[in-house]
Amino acid sequence: MKLKTLILAAGKGTRMKSDLPKVLHKVNGIPMIKKILDICKGIGSEENILILGHKKELILEELGEVEYVLQEEQLGTAHAIMQGEKKLKDFQGDVMILCGDTPLLTEETLRKLYIHHKSTNSVATILTSEYDNPFGYGRIVKKDGQVVGIIEEKEASEEIKAIKEVNAGVYCFNSKELFEALSKVNNNNEKGEYYLTDVIGINVAEGKKVECFKLEDNREILGVNSKIELSLAGEILRERKNIELMEKGAILIDPKSTYVEESVEVGRDTVLYPGVFLQGNTKIGENCEILGNSRIIDTIVGNNVRIESSVLEESVVEDKVTIGPFAHLRPKSHLMEKVHIGNFVEVKKSTLEKGVKAGHLTYLGDATVGEDTNIGAGTITCNYDGINKHKTVIGKKAFIGSDTMLVAPVNIGEEALIGAGSVITKDVPDKALSVGRAKQFIKLEWRK
């Protein structure tokens, strides 16, 4: 495959009414431009070149290392593509042109478009679809079944406006033929812009073969130009994602009330209840239960895990763990096999080894907790001294009594027992008892 792509992403997107470049707005958790780039990589494009302009620095900051050219003035789509010539002047192959605001396109569609382009030996192939109300789209004009041109809405007669087949804004061109035709495009039109669609008319006038490939699902070519269209695109992508998960064996009790982003993976027989949010690069194993009002972001979850009404961020949860309700895993937490954290337990940058239990009202920050240790209600690792964070280490099979404050840095030995209500500021040896609380006193008749 000798194919490269040019992706239009230079526009201001004024109808979005946003300070953010249009192509950086997210659909189902991923910026539109990144969605397009992922699709292009998926079809095996050798190189994907962005045409940038408005606030290009924000786009480059989001995407990192990418190939791009700059369109300093927005003088039309043909003018934008002309900026790519210096990158493609020696390329002997085909160029696919896409827009950065069409995130519903699929790899399958682009692959079929390219195959059709090659099999028909055309200099240009246009992706098209049909709308009952095609207002705003360029119309595909044909004669005897052959494409003869594309007429934009503002240039169209009433007869042309009645045509239902429209231009999707996606093309395959022979690279050499594309740039030859672009040199002949002018801006003699109502908007005074250089239209890429004029290349089609030029090709036809020169007797060169132009084809179209019609797409049945016109939702795929939805261009996102407003927050309303952004919402519609997100809804369609979420529907697709939920169907994909169910086809692979996940169980969604109510797909319409389950939010799962593009990069999420969910294993077989895992049940997602209504009101679940799975975001980022989250991966969930098999036979899990994720109950309502749980939000899981960039977290790895093993098999046979149960999570109820909890928030998990950038953490690792191993097999047979139970979490919640109302627990919070903050970044860099690691819960090993069979750990249980329950009501109002918060864990931050800590490792809880196999079988640890912290049932309620506990904060474990910058801590390592050994295997089979029990953490009583109200326990706090006091990890911050106002300047630096310090670590708490608790050994295996320790018992930490309720309402204990462990003032870090501190080490609690294996099988140690900490009495309820203690403030522990010194290390506790293995198998020792430590109680650190004020002596109780009673004064009789105090009420008098």
Side-chain angles (χ1 to χ4, degrees):
M1 178 185 286
K2 289 190 68 67
L3 175 68
K4 296 189 178 185
T5 66
L6 283 171
I7 302 168
L8 297 163
K12 293 181 178 179
T14 53
R15 282 180 283 169
M16 290 295 284
K17 301 193 185 316
S18 175
D19 294 330
L20 193 68
K22 177 170 69 170
V23 296
L24 286 186
H25 282 274
K26 291 184 177 181
V27 282
N28 204 27
I30 186 169
M32 286 192 283
I33 190 64
K34 190 173 187 308
K35 186 83 170 74
I36 292 293
L37 282 169
D38 288 346
I39 292 167
C40 292
K41 290 171 186 173
I43 63 170
S45 171
E46 290 180 21
E47 188 176 38
N48 304 302
I49 303 164
L50 300 179
I51 300 165
L52 302 180
H54 178 63
K55 293 190 175 180
K56 77 176 192 311
E57 63 283 352
L58 294 180
I59 297 172
L60 294 174
E61 183 181 338
E62 173 68 33
L63 297 178
E65 290 293 322
V66 290
E67 290 293 327
Y68 75 97
V69 294
L70 188 61
Q71 185 190 19
E72 292 185 4
E73 290 184 275
Q74 276 76 63
L75 302 177
T77 48
H79 176 259
I81 300 304
M82 288 175 194
Q83 312 314 304
E85 185 171 9
K86 56 191 172 187
K87 287 267 188 183
L88 295 167
K89 61 182 178 180
D90 297 322
F91 178 57
Q92 301 295 315
D94 296 297
V95 177
M96 186 178 289
I97 296 173
L98 308 97
C99 298
D101 62 357
T102 52
L104 298 178
L105 287 168
T106 64
E107 287 182 25
E108 182 184 12
T109 291
L110 296 188
R111 211 173 276 116
K112 286 179 178 178
L113 170 67
Y114 182 62
I115 291 169
H116 185 78
H117 174 71
K118 297 302 288 182
S119 66
T120 56
N121 200 29
S122 304
V123 297
T125 304
I126 313 155
L127 183 67
T128 71
S129 195
E130 287 193 1
Y131 283 98
D132 291 334
N133 178 14
F135 179 79
Y137 285 92
R139 308 305 201 278
I140 303 297
V141 182
K142 293 180 177 178
K143 184 176 181 180
D144 299 327
Q146 294 298 307
V147 177
V148 295
I150 303 173
I151 307 295
E152 298 293 343
E153 175 82 28
K154 287 193 173 182
E155 315 292 330
S157 65
E158 291 305 313
E159 183 183 1
I160 296 295
K161 287 179 180 179
I163 296 171
K164 293 185 177 182
E165 188 175 5
V166 302
N167 174 27
V170 181
Y171 313 84
C172 275
F173 287 102
N174 174 278
S175 182
K176 181 173 178 292
E177 297 281 0
L178 169 63
F179 290 107
E180 279 186 13
L182 280 170
S183 67
K184 302 169 187 176
V185 173
N186 61 53
N187 64 344
N188 298 329
N189 54 62
E190 188 173 321
K191 293 179 73 175
E193 293 186 352
Y194 297 90
Y195 290 150
L196 178 59
T197 49
D198 288 350
V199 167
I200 301 302
I202 291 167
N203 288 152
V204 171
E206 293 176 351
K208 293 170 181 175
K209 188 174 184 181
V210 174
E211 275 284 319
C212 64
F213 178 76
K214 188 187 289 187
L215 184 61
E216 294 303 319
D217 184 359
N218 59 26
R219 299 188 307 171
E220 272 196 46
I221 66 169
L222 174 69
V224 174
N225 295 298
S226 69
K227 300 284 178 58
I228 294 168
E229 290 170 341
L230 185 71
S231 174
L232 290 172
E235 184 181 344
I236 293 166
L237 283 176
R238 286 193 297 276
E239 180 186 2
R240 283 185 195 168
K241 182 66 180 181
N242 288 343
I243 290 169
E244 173 197 320
L245 293 178
M246 290 185 286
E247 286 177 342
K248 289 181 178 179
I251 300 166
L252 278 65
I253 302 296
D254 181 8
K256 289 185 178 179
S257 63
T258 306
Y259 179 90
V260 185
E261 291 184 347
E262 291 294 291
S263 303
V264 171
E265 297 177 17
V266 179
R268 290 172 54 164
D269 295 322
T270 284
V271 183
L272 304 182
Y273 282 77
V276 166
F277 294 80
L278 305 180
Q279 297 176 259
N281 293 313
T282 292
K283 293 179 174 59
I284 296 178
E286 298 181 356
N287 295 300
C288 296
E289 270 192 302
I290 315 296
L291 284 87
N293 301 315
S294 292
R295 181 169 175 250
I296 305 175
I297 311 108
D298 294 326
T299 292
I300 308 299
V301 177
N303 301 321
N304 300 292
V305 172
R306 188 177 193 272
I307 300 168
E308 181 175 3
S309 302
S310 296
V311 176
L312 286 64
E313 307 172 80
E314 299 172 31
S315 295
V316 175
V317 176
E318 295 189 12
D319 296 350
K320 300 180 181 177
V321 167
T322 55
I323 297 174
F326 314 122
H328 186 185
L329 282 191
R330 288 169 57 193
K332 298 183 180 179
S333 295
H334 187 166
L335 274 53
M336 294 187 178
E337 189 177 350
K338 295 184 179 178
V339 164
H340 168 67
I341 62 171
N343 302 270
F344 305 105
V345 173
E346 180 179 348
V347 181
K348 190 274 293 187
K349 199 178 178 182
S350 296
T351 298
L352 278 57
E353 295 179 358
K354 182 178 178 181
V356 167
K357 293 179 175 59
H360 22 241
L361 304 165
T362 291
Y363 172 67
L364 299 171
D366 299 281
T368 298
V369 183
E371 196 172 308
D372 291 327
T373 283
N374 186 85
I375 305 292
T379 296
I380 297 172
T381 57
C382 306
N383 57 330
Y384 184 48
D385 63 9
I387 300 172
N388 298 306
K389 299 287 178 70
H390 300 284
K391 191 167 179 63
T392 298
V393 178
I394 304 173
K396 297 178 182 179
K397 297 183 179 179
F399 186 95
I400 311 299
S402 297
D403 199 26
T404 292
M405 286 185 279
L406 302 172
V407 183
V410 68
N411 293 279
I412 309 299
E414 293 184 7
E415 299 185 48
L417 174 62
I418 307 299
S422 293
V423 178
I424 302 298
T425 59
K426 296 178 182 178
D427 290 354
V428 178
D430 293 350
K431 301 184 180 180
L433 166 66
S434 182
V435 182
R437 58 190 180 218
K439 182 179 179 181
Q440 181 176 342
F441 65 87
I442 299 172
K443 288 190 179 285
L444 299 174
E445 306 293 335
W446 179 253
R447 292 288 291 178
K448 292 183 180 179

